[in-house]
Amino acid sequence: MDNKRIVVTGAGGFIGGHLVADLLRRGCGNICAVDCKPFDEWYQFFEQVDNRKLDLSGKEACFEALQGADEVYNLAADMGGMGFIENNKVLCMLTVLINTHLLMAARHHEVKRYFYSSSACVYAADKQTSENVIPLKESDAYPAMPEDGYGWEKLFSERMCRHFREDFGLETRVARYHNVYGPHGTWDGGREKAPAAICRKVIQAKLSENHEIEIWGSGNQTRSFMYIDDCIKGTQCIMESNITEPINLGSNQLVTINQLVDIVEKIAGIKLRRRYNLAAPKGVNGRNSDNTLIQKLLGWQPSIRLEDGMEKTYRWIYDQMTAGPARRAVSGALARNV
Ligand code: NAD
């Protein structure tokens, strides 16, 4: 890899942390990792990188972060699973400041390429009313009726990327991520998503001997889940491509939430009583990714089976839950020296 400067925003989070790790593996020697969290809260932290703690909702911080940048991966967002986005619509929508200021800074600093992490939450609600959902193709985002709050912000920011490209010649690339999961992600605290939450609940049940699990919704809602390694590979393929329109990046292996619980129970070697909380946030009834376009244009398809990715995720969360503070400190220190 040449010495181009690559800025990763949201680098203290789940996908950003994995992206920095992968760029290092690929030999990139000029990475700037940015997040607003204190360094000791970053999910992965690499000493050899130019790490910056900056609140990117501010314009000045964005101009500082992108100074000298050749490429930008914008993964910074105030977000979480359904429990968070249904109850924090303002916070989700305020993320618009991050992408807007970053685009302005990218234009100013003549960044060569800019990646934006959009979401399947941009898709119109009336196309996701049934569990037997027809996989969502890119054109299904319009006429617009996205997820309230979070989805509107994503759709607006997608268009902002488009217009910076059309009006100012900034090369933008946009992926619509469908549920990404894996180790080194949020697994408790209220922002976690279904795969991590289910792993945590199953582990809690196993450790506590209270063999019951609460499931949000009827458990019949359907989703697809993409393992983090597939996401990182796909992200870089999209960044390097000539695809200027938003494109799906997700798995098309559709499962019900009940089936996801089955998978985790099998990994844990346990069977739990299921209690359904119909009042809890559960999102749309069905959502799947139509991968026709990305397969055709990039030959990309997910390579990791849900069962295998969930096994790795379960093991990692199990370690987090059972490690004492001393062991956590040691593994944190090890991660810093990777
Ligand atoms: P994450 O919450 O783990 O990471 C986001 C990071 O952004 C966090 O570390 C957070 O501290 C940082 N951040 C928030 N506000 C900031 C600010 N003002 N300045 C600087 N940093 C700030 O989330 P993730 O799962 O890694 O998601 C990365 C991107 O992918 C986000 O844009 C998200 O919306 C998108 N996405 C993720 C998924 C998924 O399943 N994980 C699905 C669809 C889209």
Side-chain angles (χ1 to χ4, degrees), residues 161-224:
C161 289
R162 172 187 180 148
H163 295 306
F164 265 75
R165 178 173 51 78
E166 288 176 351
D167 293 2
F168 300 142
L170 176 65
E171 283 293 335
T172 56
R173 301 289 179 267
V174 178
R176 288 183 183 151
Y177 290 158
H178 291 244
N179 293 309
V180 191
Y181 73 98
H184 297 286
T186 309
W187 55 273
D188 68 352
R191 289 179 185 250
E192 62 278 16
K193 298 184 158 211
I198 290 169
C199 286
R200 189 200 67 234
K201 288 178 186 182
V202 170
I203 295 165
Q204 263 164 354
K206 193 174 160 122
L207 295 177
S208 74
E209 310 256 312
N210 175 11
H211 289 180
E212 185 175 271
I213 183 167
E214 182 190 77
I215 295 171
W216 287 8
S218 67
N220 295 325
Q221 62 272 38
T222 48
R223 293 289 185 281
S224 67

Short mmCIF file of all heavy atoms in Angstrom, two decimals, residues 161-224:
data_model
loop_
_atom_site.label_atom_id
_atom_site.label_comp_id
_atom_site.label_asym_id
_atom_site.label_seq_id
_atom_site.Cartn_x
_atom_site.Cartn_y
_atom_site.Cartn_z
N CYS A 161 -24.11 13.22 0.22
CA CYS A 161 -22.91 12.66 -0.44
C CYS A 161 -23.09 12.76 -1.96
O CYS A 161 -22.18 13.16 -2.68
CB CYS A 161 -22.72 11.18 -0.06
SG CYS A 161 -22.18 10.96 1.63
N ARG A 162 -24.26 12.39 -2.42
CA ARG A 162 -24.53 12.42 -3.86
C ARG A 162 -24.33 13.84 -4.42
O ARG A 162 -23.71 14.03 -5.47
CB ARG A 162 -25.96 11.96 -4.08
CG ARG A 162 -26.42 12.13 -5.50
CD ARG A 162 -27.90 11.81 -5.59
NE ARG A 162 -28.34 11.96 -6.96
CZ ARG A 162 -29.30 11.25 -7.50
NH1 ARG A 162 -29.92 10.34 -6.79
NH2 ARG A 162 -29.64 11.44 -8.74
N HIS A 163 -24.85 14.82 -3.71
CA HIS A 163 -24.78 16.18 -4.25
C HIS A 163 -23.38 16.79 -4.12
O HIS A 163 -22.99 17.60 -4.96
CB HIS A 163 -25.87 17.05 -3.63
CG HIS A 163 -27.24 16.57 -4.02
ND1 HIS A 163 -27.59 16.39 -5.33
CD2 HIS A 163 -28.29 16.16 -3.28
CE1 HIS A 163 -28.83 15.91 -5.39
NE2 HIS A 163 -29.27 15.76 -4.16
N PHE A 164 -22.63 16.39 -3.11
CA PHE A 164 -21.23 16.84 -3.06
C PHE A 164 -20.46 16.26 -4.24
O PHE A 164 -19.57 16.90 -4.79
CB PHE A 164 -20.56 16.43 -1.73
CG PHE A 164 -20.60 17.52 -0.70
CD1 PHE A 164 -21.77 17.82 -0.02
CD2 PHE A 164 -19.46 18.28 -0.41
CE1 PHE A 164 -21.81 18.84 0.92
CE2 PHE A 164 -19.50 19.30 0.52
CZ PHE A 164 -20.68 19.58 1.19
N ARG A 165 -20.84 15.05 -4.65
CA ARG A 165 -20.18 14.45 -5.83
C ARG A 165 -20.62 15.18 -7.09
O ARG A 165 -19.78 15.60 -7.90
CB ARG A 165 -20.55 12.96 -5.90
CG ARG A 165 -19.97 12.23 -7.10
CD ARG A 165 -20.22 10.73 -7.01
NE ARG A 165 -21.60 10.39 -6.74
CZ ARG A 165 -22.58 10.40 -7.65
NH1 ARG A 165 -22.31 10.71 -8.89
NH2 ARG A 165 -23.82 10.08 -7.30
N GLU A 166 -21.93 15.37 -7.23
CA GLU A 166 -22.43 15.97 -8.47
C GLU A 166 -22.03 17.45 -8.61
O GLU A 166 -21.65 17.90 -9.67
CB GLU A 166 -23.96 15.84 -8.52
CG GLU A 166 -24.42 14.42 -8.78
CD GLU A 166 -25.93 14.27 -8.73
OE1 GLU A 166 -26.64 15.23 -8.35
OE2 GLU A 166 -26.40 13.18 -9.07
N ASP A 167 -22.15 18.18 -7.50
CA ASP A 167 -21.92 19.63 -7.60
C ASP A 167 -20.45 20.03 -7.44
O ASP A 167 -20.00 21.00 -8.03
CB ASP A 167 -22.73 20.38 -6.53
CG ASP A 167 -24.23 20.28 -6.79
OD1 ASP A 167 -24.62 19.61 -7.77
OD2 ASP A 167 -25.01 20.85 -6.00
N PHE A 168 -19.70 19.25 -6.59
CA PHE A 168 -18.33 19.67 -6.28
C PHE A 168 -17.27 18.67 -6.72
O PHE A 168 -16.08 18.87 -6.47
CB PHE A 168 -18.19 19.89 -4.75
CG PHE A 168 -19.11 20.96 -4.20
CD1 PHE A 168 -19.70 20.79 -2.96
CD2 PHE A 168 -19.35 22.13 -4.91
CE1 PHE A 168 -20.54 21.77 -2.43
CE2 PHE A 168 -20.19 23.12 -4.38
CZ PHE A 168 -20.79 22.93 -3.14
N GLY A 169 -17.69 17.56 -7.30
CA GLY A 169 -16.72 16.59 -7.82
C GLY A 169 -16.03 15.77 -6.76
O GLY A 169 -15.00 15.13 -7.02
N LEU A 170 -16.56 15.76 -5.53
CA LEU A 170 -15.97 14.92 -4.48
C LEU A 170 -16.40 13.47 -4.73
O LEU A 170 -17.60 13.18 -4.85
CB LEU A 170 -16.47 15.39 -3.10
CG LEU A 170 -16.03 14.57 -1.89
CD1 LEU A 170 -14.52 14.65 -1.69
CD2 LEU A 170 -16.74 15.05 -0.62
N GLU A 171 -15.44 12.56 -4.81
CA GLU A 171 -15.75 11.15 -5.08
C GLU A 171 -16.33 10.51 -3.82
O GLU A 171 -15.60 10.24 -2.87
CB GLU A 171 -14.49 10.39 -5.50
CG GLU A 171 -14.06 10.65 -6.92
CD GLU A 171 -15.04 10.09 -7.96
OE1 GLU A 171 -15.77 9.14 -7.64
OE2 GLU A 171 -15.08 10.64 -9.07
N THR A 172 -17.62 10.27 -3.80
CA THR A 172 -18.25 9.66 -2.62
C THR A 172 -18.70 8.24 -2.95
O THR A 172 -19.10 7.94 -4.08
CB THR A 172 -19.45 10.49 -2.14
OG1 THR A 172 -20.37 10.64 -3.22
CG2 THR A 172 -19.02 11.84 -1.62
N ARG A 173 -18.64 7.38 -1.93
CA ARG A 173 -19.12 6.00 -2.04
C ARG A 173 -20.02 5.74 -0.83
O ARG A 173 -19.69 6.16 0.29
CB ARG A 173 -17.96 5.01 -2.01
CG ARG A 173 -16.93 5.21 -3.12
CD ARG A 173 -17.49 4.81 -4.48
NE ARG A 173 -16.54 5.01 -5.56
CZ ARG A 173 -16.46 6.11 -6.32
NH1 ARG A 173 -17.27 7.14 -6.10
NH2 ARG A 173 -15.59 6.20 -7.29
N VAL A 174 -21.13 5.05 -1.06
CA VAL A 174 -22.09 4.84 0.02
C VAL A 174 -22.52 3.38 0.08
O VAL A 174 -22.99 2.82 -0.92
CB VAL A 174 -23.35 5.72 -0.19
CG1 VAL A 174 -24.38 5.46 0.92
CG2 VAL A 174 -22.99 7.20 -0.25
N ALA A 175 -22.36 2.76 1.26
CA ALA A 175 -22.85 1.39 1.47
C ALA A 175 -24.05 1.44 2.40
O ALA A 175 -24.04 2.19 3.39
CB ALA A 175 -21.76 0.53 2.08
N ARG A 176 -25.05 0.64 2.07
CA ARG A 176 -26.18 0.47 3.00
C ARG A 176 -25.95 -0.83 3.77
O ARG A 176 -26.24 -1.92 3.28
CB ARG A 176 -27.50 0.39 2.23
CG ARG A 176 -27.91 1.74 1.66
CD ARG A 176 -29.26 1.66 0.96
NE ARG A 176 -29.56 2.96 0.37
CZ ARG A 176 -30.30 3.13 -0.71
NH1 ARG A 176 -30.84 2.07 -1.33
NH2 ARG A 176 -30.54 4.33 -1.18
N TYR A 177 -25.42 -0.70 4.99
CA TYR A 177 -25.15 -1.87 5.82
C TYR A 177 -26.46 -2.48 6.32
O TYR A 177 -27.36 -1.76 6.78
CB TYR A 177 -24.35 -1.49 7.05
CG TYR A 177 -22.91 -1.07 6.83
CD1 TYR A 177 -22.26 -0.28 7.77
CD2 TYR A 177 -22.19 -1.49 5.71
CE1 TYR A 177 -20.94 0.10 7.62
CE2 TYR A 177 -20.86 -1.11 5.55
CZ TYR A 177 -20.25 -0.31 6.50
OH TYR A 177 -18.93 0.06 6.34
N HIS A 178 -26.53 -3.80 6.25
CA HIS A 178 -27.62 -4.54 6.89
C HIS A 178 -27.03 -5.23 8.12
O HIS A 178 -26.05 -6.00 7.97
CB HIS A 178 -28.20 -5.60 5.96
CG HIS A 178 -28.94 -5.04 4.78
ND1 HIS A 178 -30.29 -5.24 4.60
CD2 HIS A 178 -28.52 -4.28 3.74
CE1 HIS A 178 -30.67 -4.63 3.48
NE2 HIS A 178 -29.62 -4.05 2.93
N ASN A 179 -27.57 -5.00 9.30
CA ASN A 179 -27.13 -5.61 10.57
C ASN A 179 -25.76 -6.28 10.53
O ASN A 179 -25.62 -7.40 10.05
CB ASN A 179 -28.12 -6.68 11.02
CG ASN A 179 -29.44 -6.08 11.39
OD1 ASN A 179 -29.50 -5.12 12.17
ND2 ASN A 179 -30.51 -6.61 10.82
N VAL A 180 -24.80 -5.62 11.13
CA VAL A 180 -23.44 -6.16 11.20
C VAL A 180 -23.22 -6.66 12.63
O VAL A 180 -23.67 -6.02 13.58
CB VAL A 180 -22.41 -5.07 10.88
CG1 VAL A 180 -21.03 -5.68 10.70
CG2 VAL A 180 -22.81 -4.28 9.63
N TYR A 181 -22.54 -7.80 12.77
CA TYR A 181 -22.30 -8.32 14.12
C TYR A 181 -20.91 -8.94 14.17
O TYR A 181 -20.30 -9.23 13.14
CB TYR A 181 -23.37 -9.36 14.50
CG TYR A 181 -23.19 -10.67 13.76
CD1 TYR A 181 -22.54 -11.75 14.35
CD2 TYR A 181 -23.63 -10.80 12.44
CE1 TYR A 181 -22.33 -12.93 13.66
CE2 TYR A 181 -23.42 -11.97 11.75
CZ TYR A 181 -22.77 -13.03 12.36
OH TYR A 181 -22.56 -14.19 11.66
N GLY A 182 -20.43 -9.18 15.40
CA GLY A 182 -19.13 -9.81 15.58
C GLY A 182 -18.51 -9.38 16.89
O GLY A 182 -19.10 -8.59 17.64
N PRO A 183 -17.30 -9.88 17.17
CA PRO A 183 -16.60 -9.49 18.40
C PRO A 183 -16.21 -8.01 18.39
O PRO A 183 -16.21 -7.37 17.33
CB PRO A 183 -15.33 -10.36 18.37
CG PRO A 183 -15.59 -11.42 17.37
CD PRO A 183 -16.57 -10.87 16.38
N HIS A 184 -15.87 -7.50 19.54
CA HIS A 184 -15.45 -6.09 19.70
C HIS A 184 -16.55 -5.10 19.33
O HIS A 184 -16.27 -4.04 18.77
CB HIS A 184 -14.18 -5.78 18.88
CG HIS A 184 -12.98 -6.58 19.32
ND1 HIS A 184 -12.29 -6.33 20.48
CD2 HIS A 184 -12.37 -7.64 18.74
CE1 HIS A 184 -11.31 -7.19 20.60
NE2 HIS A 184 -11.34 -8.01 19.57
N GLY A 185 -17.79 -5.48 19.61
CA GLY A 185 -18.91 -4.57 19.39
C GLY A 185 -19.63 -4.31 20.71
O GLY A 185 -19.24 -4.82 21.76
N THR A 186 -20.70 -3.52 20.63
CA THR A 186 -21.48 -3.21 21.84
C THR A 186 -22.31 -4.43 22.19
O THR A 186 -23.02 -4.97 21.34
CB THR A 186 -22.41 -2.02 21.55
OG1 THR A 186 -21.65 -0.97 20.98
CG2 THR A 186 -23.08 -1.54 22.83
N TRP A 187 -22.25 -4.87 23.45
CA TRP A 187 -23.03 -6.05 23.83
C TRP A 187 -23.90 -5.80 25.07
O TRP A 187 -24.70 -6.64 25.46
CB TRP A 187 -22.12 -7.27 24.05
CG TRP A 187 -21.01 -7.04 25.04
CD1 TRP A 187 -19.79 -6.50 24.77
CD2 TRP A 187 -21.04 -7.29 26.45
NE1 TRP A 187 -19.04 -6.41 25.92
CE2 TRP A 187 -19.78 -6.90 26.97
CE3 TRP A 187 -21.99 -7.83 27.33
CZ2 TRP A 187 -19.45 -7.00 28.31
CZ3 TRP A 187 -21.66 -7.95 28.67
CH2 TRP A 187 -20.42 -7.53 29.16
N ASP A 188 -23.75 -4.64 25.68
CA ASP A 188 -24.65 -4.28 26.78
C ASP A 188 -24.76 -2.76 26.87
O ASP A 188 -24.13 -2.05 26.08
CB ASP A 188 -24.21 -4.89 28.12
CG ASP A 188 -22.91 -4.28 28.64
OD1 ASP A 188 -22.27 -3.50 27.91
OD2 ASP A 188 -22.52 -4.59 29.78
N GLY A 189 -25.58 -2.26 27.80
CA GLY A 189 -25.66 -0.82 28.02
C GLY A 189 -26.80 -0.13 27.30
O GLY A 189 -27.01 1.06 27.48
N GLY A 190 -27.52 -0.83 26.41
CA GLY A 190 -28.70 -0.24 25.78
C GLY A 190 -28.55 0.07 24.29
O GLY A 190 -29.53 0.31 23.61
N ARG A 191 -27.31 0.05 23.78
CA ARG A 191 -27.11 0.33 22.35
C ARG A 191 -26.87 -0.94 21.55
O ARG A 191 -26.69 -0.89 20.33
CB ARG A 191 -25.92 1.27 22.14
CG ARG A 191 -26.18 2.70 22.59
CD ARG A 191 -24.94 3.53 22.36
NE ARG A 191 -25.09 4.87 22.89
CZ ARG A 191 -25.19 5.97 22.14
NH1 ARG A 191 -25.18 5.89 20.83
NH2 ARG A 191 -25.31 7.15 22.70
N GLU A 192 -26.81 -2.09 22.23
CA GLU A 192 -26.49 -3.33 21.54
C GLU A 192 -27.60 -3.76 20.58
O GLU A 192 -28.75 -3.42 20.76
CB GLU A 192 -26.21 -4.45 22.56
CG GLU A 192 -27.37 -4.84 23.46
CD GLU A 192 -27.54 -3.90 24.66
OE1 GLU A 192 -26.99 -2.80 24.66
OE2 GLU A 192 -28.30 -4.29 25.58
N LYS A 193 -27.20 -4.53 19.57
CA LYS A 193 -28.16 -5.03 18.59
C LYS A 193 -28.49 -6.48 18.90
O LYS A 193 -27.84 -7.11 19.72
CB LYS A 193 -27.59 -4.88 17.20
CG LYS A 193 -27.32 -3.43 16.87
CD LYS A 193 -26.85 -3.26 15.48
CE LYS A 193 -27.13 -1.83 15.06
NZ LYS A 193 -27.41 -1.71 13.66
N ALA A 194 -29.47 -7.00 18.15
CA ALA A 194 -30.03 -8.32 18.48
C ALA A 194 -28.98 -9.43 18.64
O ALA A 194 -29.03 -10.15 19.65
CB ALA A 194 -31.07 -8.71 17.44
N PRO A 195 -28.02 -9.62 17.72
CA PRO A 195 -27.11 -10.76 17.89
C PRO A 195 -26.34 -10.70 19.22
O PRO A 195 -26.26 -11.71 19.93
CB PRO A 195 -26.16 -10.64 16.69
CG PRO A 195 -26.92 -9.86 15.68
CD PRO A 195 -27.76 -8.90 16.46
N ALA A 196 -25.81 -9.52 19.55
CA ALA A 196 -25.04 -9.40 20.79
C ALA A 196 -25.96 -9.50 22.00
O ALA A 196 -25.62 -10.13 23.01
CB ALA A 196 -24.29 -8.07 20.81
N ALA A 197 -27.16 -8.88 21.90
CA ALA A 197 -28.09 -8.92 23.03
C ALA A 197 -28.52 -10.36 23.33
O ALA A 197 -28.58 -10.78 24.49
CB ALA A 197 -29.32 -8.06 22.73
N ILE A 198 -28.77 -11.13 22.27
CA ILE A 198 -29.20 -12.52 22.47
C ILE A 198 -28.06 -13.35 23.07
O ILE A 198 -28.27 -14.13 23.99
CB ILE A 198 -29.75 -13.12 21.15
CG1 ILE A 198 -31.07 -12.42 20.82
CG2 ILE A 198 -29.94 -14.62 21.26
CD1 ILE A 198 -31.60 -12.70 19.43
N CYS A 199 -26.84 -13.14 22.56
CA CYS A 199 -25.69 -13.85 23.16
C CYS A 199 -25.61 -13.53 24.66
O CYS A 199 -25.48 -14.42 25.49
CB CYS A 199 -24.37 -13.43 22.50
SG CYS A 199 -24.14 -14.10 20.85
N ARG A 200 -25.70 -12.24 24.99
CA ARG A 200 -25.57 -11.84 26.40
C ARG A 200 -26.66 -12.47 27.26
O ARG A 200 -26.39 -13.00 28.33
CB ARG A 200 -25.64 -10.31 26.51
CG ARG A 200 -25.29 -9.79 27.90
CD ARG A 200 -25.82 -8.38 28.14
NE ARG A 200 -27.27 -8.35 28.17
CZ ARG A 200 -28.03 -7.54 27.42
NH1 ARG A 200 -27.48 -6.70 26.59
NH2 ARG A 200 -29.34 -7.58 27.51
N LYS A 201 -27.89 -12.43 26.75
CA LYS A 201 -29.00 -12.98 27.54
C LYS A 201 -28.85 -14.50 27.74
O LYS A 201 -29.15 -15.01 28.81
CB LYS A 201 -30.33 -12.69 26.84
CG LYS A 201 -30.74 -11.22 26.91
CD LYS A 201 -32.04 -11.01 26.14
CE LYS A 201 -32.43 -9.55 26.03
NZ LYS A 201 -33.70 -9.36 25.33
N VAL A 202 -28.41 -15.18 26.70
CA VAL A 202 -28.23 -16.64 26.82
C VAL A 202 -27.11 -16.93 27.82
O VAL A 202 -27.24 -17.82 28.68
CB VAL A 202 -27.95 -17.28 25.43
CG1 VAL A 202 -27.52 -18.73 25.58
CG2 VAL A 202 -29.18 -17.17 24.53
N ILE A 203 -26.04 -16.17 27.73
CA ILE A 203 -24.92 -16.39 28.67
C ILE A 203 -25.36 -16.09 30.10
O ILE A 203 -25.09 -16.86 31.03
CB ILE A 203 -23.70 -15.52 28.28
CG1 ILE A 203 -23.16 -15.97 26.92
CG2 ILE A 203 -22.60 -15.60 29.35
CD1 ILE A 203 -22.20 -14.98 26.26
N GLN A 204 -26.11 -14.98 30.26
CA GLN A 204 -26.62 -14.63 31.60
C GLN A 204 -27.47 -15.78 32.15
O GLN A 204 -27.34 -16.17 33.30
CB GLN A 204 -27.48 -13.37 31.53
CG GLN A 204 -26.72 -12.11 31.89
CD GLN A 204 -27.46 -10.85 31.45
OE1 GLN A 204 -28.48 -10.91 30.77
NE2 GLN A 204 -26.91 -9.70 31.82
N ALA A 205 -28.36 -16.29 31.29
CA ALA A 205 -29.25 -17.37 31.73
C ALA A 205 -28.43 -18.59 32.12
O ALA A 205 -28.69 -19.24 33.13
CB ALA A 205 -30.24 -17.72 30.61
N LYS A 206 -27.44 -18.87 31.32
CA LYS A 206 -26.61 -20.06 31.58
C LYS A 206 -25.84 -19.90 32.90
O LYS A 206 -25.81 -20.80 33.71
CB LYS A 206 -25.63 -20.23 30.41
CG LYS A 206 -24.93 -21.56 30.41
CD LYS A 206 -24.10 -21.73 29.15
CE LYS A 206 -23.05 -22.81 29.38
NZ LYS A 206 -23.12 -23.90 28.45
N LEU A 207 -25.28 -18.72 33.10
CA LEU A 207 -24.47 -18.51 34.30
C LEU A 207 -25.34 -18.40 35.56
O LEU A 207 -24.92 -18.79 36.64
CB LEU A 207 -23.62 -17.24 34.16
CG LEU A 207 -22.54 -17.25 33.06
CD1 LEU A 207 -21.84 -15.91 32.97
CD2 LEU A 207 -21.52 -18.36 33.29
N SER A 208 -26.56 -17.88 35.40
CA SER A 208 -27.39 -17.65 36.59
C SER A 208 -28.27 -18.84 36.93
O SER A 208 -28.90 -18.87 37.97
CB SER A 208 -28.30 -16.45 36.35
OG SER A 208 -29.33 -16.83 35.45
N GLU A 209 -28.33 -19.80 36.02
CA GLU A 209 -29.21 -20.96 36.21
C GLU A 209 -30.68 -20.60 36.15
O GLU A 209 -31.54 -21.42 36.45
CB GLU A 209 -28.91 -21.66 37.55
CG GLU A 209 -27.45 -21.97 37.75
CD GLU A 209 -27.11 -23.43 37.54
OE1 GLU A 209 -27.83 -24.27 38.10
OE2 GLU A 209 -26.15 -23.73 36.79
N ASN A 210 -31.00 -19.35 35.78
CA ASN A 210 -32.40 -18.99 35.52
C ASN A 210 -32.62 -19.16 34.02
O ASN A 210 -32.33 -18.27 33.23
CB ASN A 210 -32.65 -17.53 35.95
CG ASN A 210 -34.06 -17.07 35.59
OD1 ASN A 210 -34.90 -17.88 35.22
ND2 ASN A 210 -34.29 -15.77 35.68
N HIS A 211 -33.13 -20.33 33.64
CA HIS A 211 -33.11 -20.71 32.23
C HIS A 211 -34.30 -20.14 31.46
O HIS A 211 -35.12 -20.86 30.92
CB HIS A 211 -33.01 -22.24 32.10
CG HIS A 211 -31.66 -22.72 32.50
ND1 HIS A 211 -31.29 -24.05 32.48
CD2 HIS A 211 -30.55 -22.04 32.93
CE1 HIS A 211 -30.03 -24.16 32.89
NE2 HIS A 211 -29.58 -22.96 33.18
N GLU A 212 -34.34 -18.81 31.42
CA GLU A 212 -35.42 -18.11 30.73
C GLU A 212 -34.79 -16.98 29.91
O GLU A 212 -33.76 -16.43 30.29
CB GLU A 212 -36.38 -17.51 31.76
CG GLU A 212 -37.59 -16.88 31.13
CD GLU A 212 -38.61 -16.40 32.17
OE1 GLU A 212 -39.48 -17.20 32.54
OE2 GLU A 212 -38.51 -15.23 32.58
N ILE A 213 -35.43 -16.64 28.79
CA ILE A 213 -34.92 -15.52 27.99
C ILE A 213 -36.08 -14.63 27.55
O ILE A 213 -37.15 -15.13 27.17
CB ILE A 213 -34.12 -16.02 26.75
CG1 ILE A 213 -33.53 -14.83 25.98
CG2 ILE A 213 -34.95 -16.91 25.83
CD1 ILE A 213 -32.49 -15.22 24.95
N GLU A 214 -35.86 -13.31 27.65
CA GLU A 214 -36.87 -12.37 27.14
C GLU A 214 -36.52 -12.05 25.69
O GLU A 214 -35.38 -11.69 25.38
CB GLU A 214 -36.88 -11.07 27.95
CG GLU A 214 -37.95 -10.12 27.45
CD GLU A 214 -37.85 -8.72 28.06
OE1 GLU A 214 -36.98 -7.95 27.63
OE2 GLU A 214 -38.67 -8.41 28.94
N ILE A 215 -37.52 -12.16 24.82
CA ILE A 215 -37.33 -11.85 23.40
C ILE A 215 -38.20 -10.66 23.06
O ILE A 215 -39.38 -10.62 23.43
CB ILE A 215 -37.69 -13.08 22.53
CG1 ILE A 215 -36.71 -14.21 22.84
CG2 ILE A 215 -37.68 -12.72 21.05
CD1 ILE A 215 -37.07 -15.53 22.22
N TRP A 216 -37.62 -9.70 22.37
CA TRP A 216 -38.39 -8.51 21.99
C TRP A 216 -39.25 -8.84 20.77
O TRP A 216 -38.74 -9.31 19.75
CB TRP A 216 -37.45 -7.35 21.67
CG TRP A 216 -36.82 -6.76 22.92
CD1 TRP A 216 -36.91 -7.26 24.19
CD2 TRP A 216 -36.03 -5.57 23.01
NE1 TRP A 216 -36.22 -6.46 25.06
CE2 TRP A 216 -35.68 -5.41 24.37
CE3 TRP A 216 -35.59 -4.63 22.10
CZ2 TRP A 216 -34.90 -4.36 24.82
CZ3 TRP A 216 -34.81 -3.56 22.54
CH2 TRP A 216 -34.48 -3.43 23.89
N GLY A 217 -40.56 -8.55 20.90
CA GLY A 217 -41.49 -8.86 19.81
C GLY A 217 -41.91 -10.32 19.86
O GLY A 217 -41.67 -11.03 20.87
N SER A 218 -42.51 -10.77 18.75
CA SER A 218 -43.04 -12.15 18.72
C SER A 218 -41.95 -13.17 18.43
O SER A 218 -42.18 -14.38 18.54
CB SER A 218 -44.09 -12.24 17.61
OG SER A 218 -43.44 -12.07 16.35
N GLY A 219 -40.78 -12.69 18.03
CA GLY A 219 -39.70 -13.61 17.64
C GLY A 219 -39.85 -14.08 16.20
O GLY A 219 -38.97 -14.75 15.66
N ASN A 220 -40.97 -13.72 15.57
CA ASN A 220 -41.17 -14.13 14.17
C ASN A 220 -40.64 -13.11 13.17
O ASN A 220 -40.64 -13.35 11.97
CB ASN A 220 -42.67 -14.34 13.89
CG ASN A 220 -43.21 -15.49 14.71
OD1 ASN A 220 -42.50 -16.48 14.93
ND2 ASN A 220 -44.45 -15.37 15.19
N GLN A 221 -40.24 -11.93 13.68
CA GLN A 221 -39.70 -10.92 12.75
C GLN A 221 -38.42 -11.47 12.12
O GLN A 221 -37.65 -12.17 12.76
CB GLN A 221 -39.49 -9.56 13.45
CG GLN A 221 -38.50 -9.49 14.58
CD GLN A 221 -39.10 -9.82 15.95
OE1 GLN A 221 -39.93 -10.68 16.09
NE2 GLN A 221 -38.62 -9.14 16.98
N THR A 222 -38.23 -11.13 10.84
CA THR A 222 -37.10 -11.70 10.10
C THR A 222 -36.04 -10.63 9.80
O THR A 222 -36.36 -9.46 9.60
CB THR A 222 -37.57 -12.29 8.76
OG1 THR A 222 -38.41 -11.33 8.09
CG2 THR A 222 -38.34 -13.58 8.96
N ARG A 223 -34.78 -11.10 9.78
CA ARG A 223 -33.65 -10.22 9.50
C ARG A 223 -32.53 -11.04 8.84
O ARG A 223 -32.52 -12.26 8.90
CB ARG A 223 -33.06 -9.64 10.81
CG ARG A 223 -33.93 -8.67 11.58
CD ARG A 223 -34.08 -7.35 10.87
NE ARG A 223 -34.83 -6.40 11.68
CZ ARG A 223 -36.15 -6.38 11.81
NH1 ARG A 223 -36.90 -7.28 11.18
NH2 ARG A 223 -36.75 -5.48 12.56
N SER A 224 -31.54 -10.32 8.31
CA SER A 224 -30.30 -10.98 7.91
C SER A 224 -29.16 -10.31 8.66
O SER A 224 -29.26 -9.13 9.02
CB SER A 224 -30.09 -10.87 6.40
OG SER A 224 -29.85 -9.51 6.06
#
